[in-house]
Amino acid sequence: MLTRRTFLSALSSLCALGRTESFALRAPSAGERAHAALEYHVSPQGSDSNDGSRSRPLRTISAAAALAQAGDTITVHRGIYRERIRPPRGGTSDTQRITYQAASGEEAVITGAEEIAGWKQVAGDVWKVTIPNSFFGSFNPYSDLIHGDWFNPKGRNHHTGAVYRHGDWLIEAATRDEVFQPAGATALWFGEADADSTTLWAQFPQADPNDGHTEINARQTVFYPEKPNINYLTVRGFALRQAATPWAPPTAEQIGLIGTHWSKGWIIENNAVSYSICSGVALGKYGDQWDNTSQNSAEGYVKTIERAEQSGWSKENIGHHIVRGNTVSHCEQAGIVGSLGAVFCLVTHNTIHDIHVRQLFTGAEMAGIKFHAAIDTQISHNTIYHTCLGLWLDWMAQGTRVSGNLFHDNIDVDLMVEVDHGPFLVDNNVFLSPVSQRVVSQGGAYAHNLFCGGVRLVPFDGRMTPFMEPHSTEVAGYHNNPSGDLRFYNNLFAQAGDLSPFDQTRLPVFLGGNVFLKGSKACAQEASPLLLPEFDPSPAVTGPEGDAHLEITLDRSWAGTQASGTQVSGTQASGTEASGTEARRLVTTAMLGNAAIPNLPFVQPDNAPLLIDSDYRGRARSRSNPFPGPFEAPAGGRLRIEIQPGPI
């Protein structure tokens, strides 16, 4: 009997011999697929003429991808794999996936870079290498310029390629002459490509670049399908790095170091994604002839939305991805990006850092996470730090929930919500950067957060932006963006935390149960905040990266103290209460009411009512009198709280 592995082994052998003219790499027929799921093994010691069994592994992941069918697993063993994975097919359902995984306990690296030798010293620390363009095939990162809608090159060219030393990238110089200047804190490189060859110059202070630790980009991406609608893939446990990715605006195909390419049901988990010239993980838009033709206008993006609807943008076809337990770092546009394709997703327990920190170019679209149309998407328990901007929710954040995340040491702002009409919910987060949020939206609710930074409020934005039918990608209407229609309940404000910008808004704001500590400012529209101008909670992130903790000082007496405009000096002794106290209320769908412009309630993605009955750590909240801020009913004093993100 012809088993599937026997058939595929024979096919693989024929491919290796170049004898596939009559049936080149076809998928097995339905009869040939009637089998139990298979596991294909890949190893640097393997051969692509093998059958992929544990004893006869394949050499490349791409060869395994060509063979795997729905339900199969590709297990990749320890080693460095210098290839781009183009999965030709996906699974057929959530239970019949194709899984790509690193072998347990083994580091499997997939990289878009190649080691390069042949460098010649030309002057001091400056070395030069000339490479035939045939080395790069159809894509040469050193003739490919970063460009696109909402991109600002700051008056110079930027290529999608880079030069790496010991895995870290050098900085691209604006001119060749700069490379011949004394090296600074970060070494420089410069490249020129003509019709036949590419020449690179680079600084290698007191080092020989021919020692095996020098790499250059050779591939645009690392794991990305060539065509859309490759559904139900799992990618687990890899080190994915060094890709020459393009700029990914919301109006063009969004190609990340790893990306889903307009599909449904991916799980990207427990990977280390790093060193993408633009974006790390892409959940976004397909490409078409209209890419980068919007003229940086809201009208151009509206046309993009209309074309997406014609190209299958719906709850049935697109999104529903899970991105969890990953570490995403060293990307110069976004850690995770998604325009229209990041709908109905879960993004949880990721650590995102060092995003757009070199700032060689600028524009828009730069953030730890940058989503357009995060419809019913849940963003929870992530740690985002050392980024230009932590989380940016741009257009159509409807049904979006941002819960239990930690933001710190971000350059610009922790959270930006731009031209969204809601309803969206922000709860149980810790915002520690100098600016907590920039608000250009309505229809939001903020509950049980710790705000240590200021607020930038835009009074009015005249762009006409969409609101949607409930739990749908169908546009229900368009509206401009007046300030207000926001809710702030049971939050804790400290240091530069500031609600005073909401003293004057075009639409009403709704407030209650908030606490204002040293350095913070209340909103005059709140009738009974608790004001403690001398209490300093001194929040701080301590400990080494990967084992950090949040430390903060709280007082258990705040449970039940909602002082009616009363200022209380000094740190209250445990068990005492301010005058005029009243119990706080548990935040629920009924309490929040409807977002005004779409006239929709704050509910869960399955339309069930919301009930914020647990805190940042997952501990149950008091139903009769919940504690303000992200942490429920502390004993008081200095707390040391474990930061949650990590492998799932």
Side-chain angles (χ1 to χ4, degrees), residues 308-606:
E309 291 174 329
Q310 297 164 11
S311 297
W313 189 43
S314 70
K315 188 172 185 177
E316 292 71 32
N317 297 329
I318 301 300
H320 303 273
H321 306 302
I322 298 174
V323 181
R324 62 187 175 199
N326 305 283
T327 297
V328 184
S329 70
H330 299 89
C331 305
E332 279 305 297
Q333 180 190 332
I336 306 175
V337 70
S339 172
L340 306 175
V343 290
F344 316 108
C345 292
L346 174 64
V347 179
T348 187
H349 285 85
N350 301 286
T351 298
I352 303 171
H353 65 92
D354 288 279
I355 306 299
H356 194 63
V357 295
R358 300 195 303 177
Q359 301 197 353
L360 301 176
F361 46 76
T362 185
E365 316 316 315
M366 300 91 68
I369 301 175
K370 175 64 191 287
F371 286 159
H372 285 74
I375 299 168
D376 279 356
T377 287
Q378 313 293 288
I379 302 167
S380 66
H381 307 299
N382 303 286
T383 293
I384 304 177
Y385 67 98
H386 292 169
T387 74
C388 57
L389 191 160
L391 169 61
W392 189 347
L393 298 174
D394 202 353
W395 291 58
M396 298 170 283
Q398 183 167 309
T400 312
R401 184 172 183 179
V402 179
S403 182
N405 302 282
L406 170 63
F407 301 84
H408 68 92
D409 295 294
N410 294 308
I411 298 168
D412 184 15
V413 62
D414 284 336
L415 171 63
M416 179 168 176
V417 286
E418 182 174 0
V419 295
D420 303 304
H421 304 302
F424 63 86
L425 173 64
V426 179
D427 70 283
N428 286 317
N429 300 282
V430 177
F431 299 102
L432 298 182
S433 301
V435 179
S436 289
Q437 58 175 324
R438 182 184 293 137
V439 184
V440 198
S441 296
Q442 329 77 49
Y446 300 83
H448 289 286
N449 301 286
L450 169 62
F451 293 103
C452 289
V455 174
R456 298 172 182 168
L457 177 67
V458 176
F460 179 77
D461 188 307
R463 284 176 287 176
M464 300 295 289
T465 60
F467 54 95
M468 323 304 288
E469 296 292 342
H471 315 294
S472 168
T473 60
E474 182 180 348
V475 175
Y478 292 83
H479 203 283
N480 58 23
N481 292 268
S483 56
D485 188 36
L486 299 170
R487 299 134 182 85
F488 290 88
Y489 292 115
N490 302 348
N491 299 286
L492 195 59
F493 293 85
Q495 297 177 341
D498 188 1
L499 266 190
S500 64
F502 297 94
D503 285 340
Q504 295 184 359
T505 55
R506 296 196 176 199
L507 299 176
V509 293
F510 309 93
L511 308 105
N514 299 299
V515 176
F516 295 85
L517 306 179
K518 186 175 182 179
S520 64
K521 296 179 181 179
C523 174
Q525 295 190 59
E526 183 168 3
S528 56
L530 175 61
L531 308 177
L532 299 168
E534 302 303 319
F535 191 102
D536 187 356
S538 301
V541 175
T542 63
E545 188 173 317
D547 189 29
H549 289 76
L550 172 67
E551 294 188 2
I552 189 169
T553 302
L554 302 176
D555 193 319
R556 68 183 181 185
S557 68
W558 303 340
T561 53
Q562 188 176 344
S564 301
T566 303
Q567 290 195 359
V568 182
S569 299
T571 302
Q572 292 179 267
S574 295
T576 64
E577 294 187 353
S579 60
T581 62
E582 58 184 71
R584 293 178 183 85
R585 294 188 292 157
L586 205 64
V587 177
T588 65
T589 290
M591 178 183 183
L592 296 174
N594 282 15
I597 289 171
N599 192 27
L600 292 175
F602 292 79
V603 294
Q604 300 184 57
D606 63 0

Side-chain angles (χ1 to χ4, degrees), residues 21-33:
E21 294 85 353
S22 62
F23 60 102
L25 269 183
R26 67 176 178 85
S29 69
E32 292 159 348
R33 285 198 303 266

Side-chain angles (χ1 to χ4, degrees), residues 192-226:
E192 291 179 347
D194 59 26
D196 301 312
S197 62
T198 297
T199 301
L200 303 174
W201 293 262
Q203 298 173 335
F204 298 104
Q206 300 179 344
D208 182 349
N210 297 304
D211 61 4
H213 298 292
T214 306
E215 297 171 289
I216 66 170
N217 282 114
R219 288 170 286 281
Q220 185 181 53
T221 180
V222 170
F223 198 108
Y224 188 82
E226 286 190 331

